[in-house]
Amino acid sequence: MDVKKMYIDGCWVESESKKTRASINPADGSVIAYVTEGDVADARKAIAAAKTSFYVTREWRDMDSQSRGDLVLKIADEIEKEKEEFARIDSMDHGKPLREAECDVDDAIHCFRYYASLIKAPHGGVYEVNEGFGKMHSYTVHEPVGVCAQITPWNYPLLMGVWKLAPAIAAGNSIVFKPSSNCVLSCIKLFEIFEKVGMPKGSVNLVLGAGSTIGNELAENNDVDMITFTGSTEVGQSIMRAAAGNVKKIGLELGGKSPNVIFADADLEGAVEWAMIGIFLNQGEICSAGSRIIIEESIKDKFVKRLAERANAITIGNPLENPDMGPLVSESHMNKVLDYIKKGVEEGATLICGGERYTEGKCANGYFVRPTIFDNCTDDMTIVKEEIFGPVVTVQTFKTEQEAIDMANNTEYGLAGAVFTADGSRALRVIKEIRAGITWINCYNPCFNEAPWGGYKKSGIGRELGVHGLEEYQEIKQININLNPGIVGWYEH
Ligand code: NAD
């Protein structure tokens, strides 16, 4: 098997150390590729290439925004031509059902097209200013930040990369990108497309390797102007500390433990269906997962019974054969999820369904976990407090609206949340009280390229997607013009 390489300064290269890492198919534990394993020295080369591209050759940065937008559109067109292959790679490398991987590729294509159109549209502002210093004209221009390092997790291998790459590229930055070592294959393919469409040398660089070495270097290196990160809160905190040296601009999309609040007047079947999407989509490996169901006491038993019936009917299998759920991303992650399940039982939650590894038939060697529901949970339980990042949901009950709000907010995270009710005023009242950046009423998990995505509290800093997502990768410069050159007379008093 060929060793997959990094893309640095317009060339495909192996790491200096020549070390490699195996990419494992989580459905059966087999090796699907070998990938070069980079180190700090390789990260430094990539940073140097990006620095030269931004500050010396300046080809990408200085390209007019219409031409830059055209090239970004070409990226989208090239991904579209290879849509099936991208989906197959992510499904095999990560474990998500093929149809979910196909949706991710569609979203990735739209994301590039969205930012291509946004960069071609007018931006900046012109301001009416007071005339204390005579007639002045004030306006703003948006400029790229410079060398941007980007680090992503494994749960949406292609899409989490694209949410960062599309706006940063469109804005004219030079980039060093590092995906999670667990799933790198679709991002390698994406960089092949960057090369094919003719992105200038050094403007986009791909490094591969461990977060503790390469990732930390990207956060710490003083030649990096900005670091954006999606991943766990713990690593996000270490990135904040490492980035302090040169006061890098920073963007953090971190973990979550999101409440799904269901009132007794909600459409029960609808709430069950969305709760399933909330927690079992992508095997529950979703930052915004509705992992805490908070439900009005009077309908809890009926709801849990129906949810368990539906969860038990979920098909599990090889993701390429389109079951409802595939395997978790790795053996170690599966074991982490199973440990949480064990803890849930030990701490007194009632296991309603699932709770174990799934090893039937061809799944014997894969990292599958059955959809799991815990009832009778309380705020102090580990499974209610900590992000599990798997197909595990807890159920708690409330009697009053205020109790529901308090329970929803009793978390250090603030990424997402939902409310289900037939009462429109209550829906708006409760959703406004939930301290989270992404919220839904009578649905769970839909997300759009056009709308900003990001968290409150320990779920992050800044926003991706939408206009905000582009502005994160831009500096805003204020330009003030004196329209009456000559003596102001300030010192003539
Ligand atoms: P992780 O924090 O372990 O790793 C994320 C990335 O950081 C990987 O590329 C990893 O190699 C790198 N990394 C690890 N240690 C590092 C260090 N010391 N310095 C720099 N980089 C380092 O997270 P994960 O397990 O890959 O992903 C799961 C987490 O991501 C969950 O907490 C989930 O909620 C979060 N997530 C958040 C969002 C969001 O939009 N808020 C989206 C997806 C995932």
Side-chain angles (χ1 to χ4, degrees), residues 63-82:
M63 191 181 285
D64 68 86
S65 56
Q66 302 301 316
S67 310
R68 221 189 300 134
D70 285 345
L71 216 76
V72 175
L73 283 175
K74 270 195 198 159
I75 296 172
D77 293 346
E78 290 299 324
I79 300 174
E80 195 164 42
K81 282 185 204 157
E82 300 201 54

Side-chain angles (χ1 to χ4, degrees), residues 274-342:
W274 283 111
M276 299 266 291
I277 293 171
I279 190 61
F280 300 133
L281 196 76
N282 208 40
Q283 297 75 241
E285 295 163 323
I286 301 190
C287 51
S288 57
S291 51
R292 291 186 296 137
I293 290 174
I294 296 171
I295 189 161
E296 197 161 347
E297 200 176 69
S298 58
I299 59 158
K300 192 263 286 181
D301 288 342
K302 204 170 159 196
F303 178 90
V304 169
K305 183 166 176 283
R306 186 68 185 130
L307 186 67
E309 279 168 11
R310 299 294 314 277
N312 281 326
I314 275 181
T315 57
I316 301 176
N318 185 334
L320 291 174
E321 290 166 11
N322 256 328
D324 294 326
M325 256 176 52
L328 297 190
V329 71
S330 66
E331 186 169 19
S332 64
H333 186 59
M334 173 189 72
N335 288 333
K336 188 175 151 198
V337 171
L338 291 172
D339 281 350
Y340 271 117
I341 291 172
K342 203 165 140 229

Side-chain angles (χ1 to χ4, degrees), residues 151-155 160 163 178-181 209-212 215-216 219 229-233 235 238-239 253-256 286-287 387 389 415 453 459 464:
I151 301 176
T152 54
W154 45 259
N155 65 327
M160 287 300 96
W163 282 14
K178 191 202 96 62
S180 163
S181 317
S212 53
N216 187 60
F229 168 81
T230 301
S232 61
T233 296
V235 174
S238 94
I239 284 185
E253 298 286 342
L254 309 178
I286 301 190
C287 51
E387 184 182 41
F389 221 54
L415 189 60
W453 177 275
S459 290
E464 293 195 311

Side-chain angles (χ1 to χ4, degrees), residues 3-32:
V3 173
K4 302 265 180 196
K5 296 181 179 148
M6 298 184 275
Y7 188 65
I8 297 177
D9 206 16
C11 299
W12 291 96
V13 293
E14 282 187 44
S15 65
E16 279 199 358
S17 69
K18 300 281 182 271
K19 276 192 265 176
T20 59
R21 176 194 286 262
S23 279
I24 304 293
N25 180 346
D28 58 13
S30 63
V31 174
I32 44 179

Side-chain angles (χ1 to χ4, degrees), residues 7 10-12 60 71-79 82 86 108 112 150 158 161-170 173 175-177 186-206:
Y7 188 65
C11 299
W12 291 96
W60 186 242
L71 216 76
V72 175
L73 283 175
K74 270 195 198 159
I75 296 172
D77 293 346
E78 290 299 324
I79 300 174
E82 300 201 54
F86 268 109
F112 275 109
Q150 307 182 318
L158 176 68
V162 169
W163 282 14
K164 296 192 185 318
L165 287 160
I169 288 174
N173 295 284
I175 292 153
V176 181
F177 176 79
S186 56
C187 287
I188 293 176
K189 191 164 177 55
L190 181 62
F191 273 71
E192 287 169 5
I193 284 177
F194 293 162
E195 182 187 31
K196 185 172 176 192
V197 301
M199 287 293 297
K201 190 168 166 281
S203 59
V204 282
N205 301 276
L206 170 71

